[in-house]
Amino acid sequence: MGGHVPTQEHDDELRSEQSYVDGLYARLDAERARVKGRYSAALRGDGGSLVDRDAEVRALAKERKRLDVADNGLCFGRLDTVSGERSYIGRIGLFDEENEYEPLLLDWRAPAARAFYVATAATPENMRRRRQFHTRGRRIVDFTDEVLGRPGTGEHGDAALLAAVNAPRGTGMRDIVATIQAEQDEIIRLEHPGVLVIEGGPGTGKTVVALHRVAYLLYTQRERMERNGVLVVGPNPAFLNHIGRVLPSLGETNVVFMTPGDLVPGLHVTAEDTPEAARHKGSLRILDVLAAAIADRQRVPEQPLPIELADVTGRIDAETAEWARDEARSSGLPHNEARPVFREILTYALTERAIARIGRGWLTRDDRGAWEDLRADLLAELATNEQFTAALDELWPILTPETLLAPLYSSRERLRAAGADESLYRADGDAWTVSDVPLLDELVDLLGRDKSADEDTERERKAEAAYAAGVLDIMVDRADMMDDEDHLFAHDLLDAADLADRFVERDTRELAERAAADRDWTYRHVVVDEAQELSEMDWRVLMRRCPGRSFTVVGDLAQRRSVAGATSWAAMLEPYVPGRWVYRSLTVNYRTPAEIMDVAGAVLAEFAPDVRAPESVRSCGVVPWSRPVTEGELPTAIEEFVRDEAGREGTSVVIGPPGVPGTVTASETKGLEFDAVLVVEPERILADGPRGAAELYVALTRATQRLGVLHRGPLPHALTGLAESGAPAANRPA
């Protein structure tokens, strides 16, 4: 600390700082009122075109949100340089408009604010003192000083950090804008245009660092980033709810939050794959299966298919269909887009043979006029011929990703024909799983669009324009009957296309909502959390979503549970961004106290001996405990834990193997944190598949204060050091 300040001097300083912060809030309130007034005027439509007003309303709404979130903890610190200059640090920047826009409050992302996070006693960054405010609402309740440039005096940063990490957990993740540590700040501000991998063990803050990095990028590259927005991918909805308030609290809203199961809009995941099926679907080898499955639907008839025309009956035989299929495949077009090629060859063969038969004895190719007239008649007839349409649908059907994949899964014969592993079979073909999402997304490109549907849309648009033109003609005719020779004609104001455009429904959704509903939307930046769980096929989906290859990847290979997940970052990323990805690690555990991390570290040492557990920055003084229970005692023991924790401040969770009443699985808690955790039957978690040890490691490291274990079978070897407890609610001080 900066020494003991006399009470009166400290109080005077506190009042002075409060006065300055009051001035900042006054300016914030004035700016908020000004923006609110402009927003109301824009909503009323005071001047300007419709398009301009719409853009202004969106911009002002965004500015209102930015100012609103800044209200809580607007200013949280001060920097004093060695020359005596002061800078106040906060959530947003505020400027004195009357004094050449002198900064009154520096945005935490501004370069000038960096010293607040990285200055130390040994490397003071030309700073003499760092002051941190402890606030409640708009009031400064206290402050602490750290005098820089004198080794041995840098205690304040740890004190502020420990106060934050020791606070009880709420329902969502908190931002760390006031307590960012130097190693975190370096990653947040890293100027790297490609892929940044942030790896860290439990509690190292890698997720919140990634989110603050997004806020920093949006601040420094706002014009480029805002047009397309940012995608954040997390493991499950609970995790996304947990982190969902961090970016809005930092004033950023153009962000889409999704799980891997949400990446195909409108798809509902209702089932779960076996590990073997997930492994096969996650491998790039599944691409060969998809290609073979499409090829299997491009068929030739076993028997000739009759096509009855007015004057003759044609046939599509195997040889003709094979010729048409070869031509369509060699076009290089996706399946649906190649169908017109297939149709064209069949049409040519049918019409040529029909003309030859109809004109036998009286028509030769030299009579081109008669030949082409007959061809035109036959083409018109084929266009509405139900047998021909049915033959096309049988031999080269229009397919969607769902209508290809569902019948494939539910047919062992089709799976064999596509060279797929038998583990992919399921009776309910369209019971979609998370592992199906990248396959369905891949098929969007492999199958292509149905051009006939596009043509229908274009015909509808032209019909609307024709209708609008008719309306304009009526308006002009009526105007001709007017006596006033100076009247203004309707077509002087707009043309038919403009009028037709009035019938088109305007998309007034926010960017994040539009992006989430559009499979073809591309993002400027993508954050991937728990990235070790993503398969090779998952990465193909994400790379399509971000052509610029700008990613922040967050994960911990030691926590990988998915059999299709990453075994190394290079294996997943090098094929897409060779030489354009960098790796950074976080080594300090800010969440998990040393008492709990010692237990989790013993588990880690058994299944990943080469991985070093992150070093805890604090102790909590509470010893983790274990208690043996019988099957009959287990429900009561869980109820006792829940009842005891309900009387405490903070959050709690009970984690167990699948199927245990009153528990959630470790996978469902990934990325989350709780004050108290009860782990049930760790021996069964450990035995649940090849990644059971990683699952147990995740379960143990969710706790920030208290950890208990209930076991029916023998306690796993790595947990034998736990203190035996006679009651599940025991919290014995260290």
Side-chain angles (χ1 to χ4, degrees), residues 2-24:
H4 294 287
V5 181
T7 302
Q8 187 60 48
E9 183 180 347
H10 184 83
D11 290 347
D12 290 345
E13 191 79 4
L14 188 62
R15 280 191 292 270
S16 174
E17 297 290 28
Q18 182 64 58
S19 175
Y20 188 87
V21 170
D22 287 343
L24 294 177

Side-chain angles (χ1 to χ4, degrees), residues 211-341:
L211 295 175
H212 283 68
R213 174 168 168 76
V214 169
Y216 174 76
L217 292 175
L218 283 165
Y219 176 80
T220 58
Q221 305 174 27
R222 185 165 301 279
E223 187 174 343
R224 292 179 61 247
M225 298 278 285
E226 278 197 333
R227 283 197 298 269
N228 293 72
V230 173
L231 173 63
V232 176
V233 179
N236 53 58
F239 174 80
L240 294 181
N241 290 335
H242 179 62
I243 70 171
R245 66 170 294 275
V246 173
L247 283 168
S249 75
L250 298 171
E252 306 301 347
T253 56
N254 283 351
V255 182
V256 177
F257 293 90
M258 288 186 180
T259 69
D262 301 326
L263 289 168
V264 173
L267 186 76
H268 298 288
V269 172
T270 60
E272 185 174 349
D273 275 315
T274 64
E276 185 68 6
R279 183 173 67 83
H280 283 287
K281 291 179 183 180
S283 169
L284 292 181
R285 289 188 292 273
I286 199 69
L287 293 173
D288 294 332
V289 172
L290 297 180
I294 295 173
D296 186 52
R297 301 294 292 272
Q298 300 164 352
R299 313 186 76 93
V300 297
E302 295 181 0
Q303 298 295 331
L305 302 176
I307 309 296
E308 295 180 5
L309 302 171
D311 300 316
V312 69
T313 298
R315 282 178 170 77
I316 301 175
D317 55 31
E319 183 180 7
T320 302
E322 188 171 1
W323 172 33
R325 185 177 65 179
D326 290 345
E327 290 294 325
R329 287 178 176 174
S330 65
S331 71
L333 295 170
H335 171 83
N336 290 330
E337 296 173 26
R339 176 172 151 129
V341 178

Side-chain angles (χ1 to χ4, degrees), residues 482-656:
M482 295 172 61
D483 294 331
D484 183 3
E485 63 181 7
D486 294 326
H487 62 263
L488 189 64
F489 287 104
H491 56 63
D492 291 330
L493 296 176
L494 73 171
D495 58 22
D498 290 332
L499 185 58
D501 202 38
R502 299 293 179 93
F503 293 102
V504 178
E505 184 178 351
R506 298 293 179 189
D507 191 344
T508 58
R509 296 172 297 173
E510 294 292 331
L511 180 144
E513 189 178 358
R514 285 184 284 126
D518 186 355
R519 181 263 175 187
D520 295 322
W521 190 279
T522 57
Y523 297 89
R524 181 65 66 178
H525 190 79
V526 177
V527 177
V528 188
D529 209 331
E530 299 294 340
Q532 74 277 357
E533 304 298 341
L534 299 190
S535 69
E536 292 176 311
M537 289 297 294
D538 288 323
W539 280 108
R540 285 179 66 86
V541 179
L542 294 176
M543 291 296 170
R544 278 193 288 273
R545 297 297 188 272
C546 187
R549 303 290 194 262
S550 178
F551 282 78
T552 299
V553 177
V554 181
D556 179 11
L557 295 179
Q559 295 186 59
R560 177 180 67 88
R561 189 177 191 278
S562 170
V563 294
T567 55
S568 78
W569 300 118
M572 291 298 185
L573 299 175
E574 196 65 23
Y576 302 104
V577 283
R580 285 191 60 227
W581 66 280
V582 297
Y583 175 89
R584 295 291 185 272
S585 64
L586 292 168
T587 59
V588 179
N589 190 330
Y590 301 102
R591 178 181 69 210
T592 315
E595 295 88 343
I596 296 174
M597 202 60 219
D598 287 345
V599 176
V603 173
L604 178 67
E606 288 201 351
F607 79 90
D610 296 333
V611 179
R612 182 178 178 182
E615 183 178 353
S616 294
V617 76
R618 67 188 178 97
S619 297
C620 66
V622 178
V623 177
W625 54 267
S626 68
R627 176 190 175 194
V629 292
T630 64
E631 183 176 358
E633 293 172 334
L634 182 60
T636 301
I638 293 175
E639 290 174 5
E640 288 179 14
F641 171 83
V642 173
R643 186 170 57 249
D644 181 73
E645 288 299 332
R648 298 174 179 269
E649 186 179 7
T651 59
S652 62
V653 69
V654 182
I655 303 175

Side-chain angles (χ1 to χ4, degrees), residues 74-338:
L74 172 64
C75 177
F76 49 77
R78 189 184 99 187
L79 278 173
D80 296 356
T81 68
V82 292
S83 60
E85 297 174 352
R86 294 180 179 180
S87 298
Y88 287 84
I89 316 297
R91 292 183 176 275
I92 64 172
L94 292 175
F95 302 90
D96 186 350
E97 298 177 5
E98 298 177 358
N99 191 17
E100 298 182 351
Y101 282 86
E102 179 183 348
L104 301 174
L105 182 67
L106 286 176
D107 190 299
W108 66 274
R109 294 164 289 194
R114 186 171 183 270
F116 186 78
Y117 301 109
V118 301
T120 65
T123 56
E125 302 282 331
N126 203 37
M127 296 297 158
R128 183 176 63 85
R129 176 169 56 188
R130 171 169 45 215
R131 172 170 290 178
Q132 182 153 1
F133 300 139
H134 309 290
T135 61
R136 186 176 297 117
R138 294 189 169 198
R139 303 299 301 173
I140 302 177
V141 295
D142 201 0
F143 65 83
T144 50
D145 281 346
E146 181 181 9
V147 177
L148 302 171
R150 294 190 307 181
T153 62
E155 302 173 359
H156 149 69
D158 288 343
L161 174 66
L162 290 176
V165 298
N166 278 316
R169 264 50 191 169
T171 56
M173 178 178 284
R174 295 168 293 190
D175 65 62
I176 58 169
V177 65
T179 57
I180 293 171
Q181 301 301 291
E183 72 166 358
Q184 297 172 330
D185 185 79
E186 179 186 352
I187 293 172
I188 289 169
R189 298 175 191 266
L190 185 65
E191 297 293 340
H192 179 69
V195 177
L196 167 63
V197 175
I198 306 173
E199 183 163 31
T204 54
K206 53 188 179 294
T207 297
V208 73
V209 166
L211 295 175
H212 283 68
R213 174 168 168 76
V214 169
Y216 174 76
L217 292 175
L218 283 165
Y219 176 80
T220 58
Q221 305 174 27
R222 185 165 301 279
E223 187 174 343
R224 292 179 61 247
M225 298 278 285
E226 278 197 333
R227 283 197 298 269
N228 293 72
V230 173
L231 173 63
V232 176
V233 179
N236 53 58
F239 174 80
L240 294 181
N241 290 335
H242 179 62
I243 70 171
R245 66 170 294 275
V246 173
L247 283 168
S249 75
L250 298 171
E252 306 301 347
T253 56
N254 283 351
V255 182
V256 177
F257 293 90
M258 288 186 180
T259 69
D262 301 326
L263 289 168
V264 173
L267 186 76
H268 298 288
V269 172
T270 60
E272 185 174 349
D273 275 315
T274 64
E276 185 68 6
R279 183 173 67 83
H280 283 287
K281 291 179 183 180
S283 169
L284 292 181
R285 289 188 292 273
I286 199 69
L287 293 173
D288 294 332
V289 172
L290 297 180
I294 295 173
D296 186 52
R297 301 294 292 272
Q298 300 164 352
R299 313 186 76 93
V300 297
E302 295 181 0
Q303 298 295 331
L305 302 176
I307 309 296
E308 295 180 5
L309 302 171
D311 300 316
V312 69
T313 298
R315 282 178 170 77
I316 301 175
D317 55 31
E319 183 180 7
T320 302
E322 188 171 1
W323 172 33
R325 185 177 65 179
D326 290 345
E327 290 294 325
R329 287 178 176 174
S330 65
S331 71
L333 295 170
H335 171 83
N336 290 330
E337 296 173 26

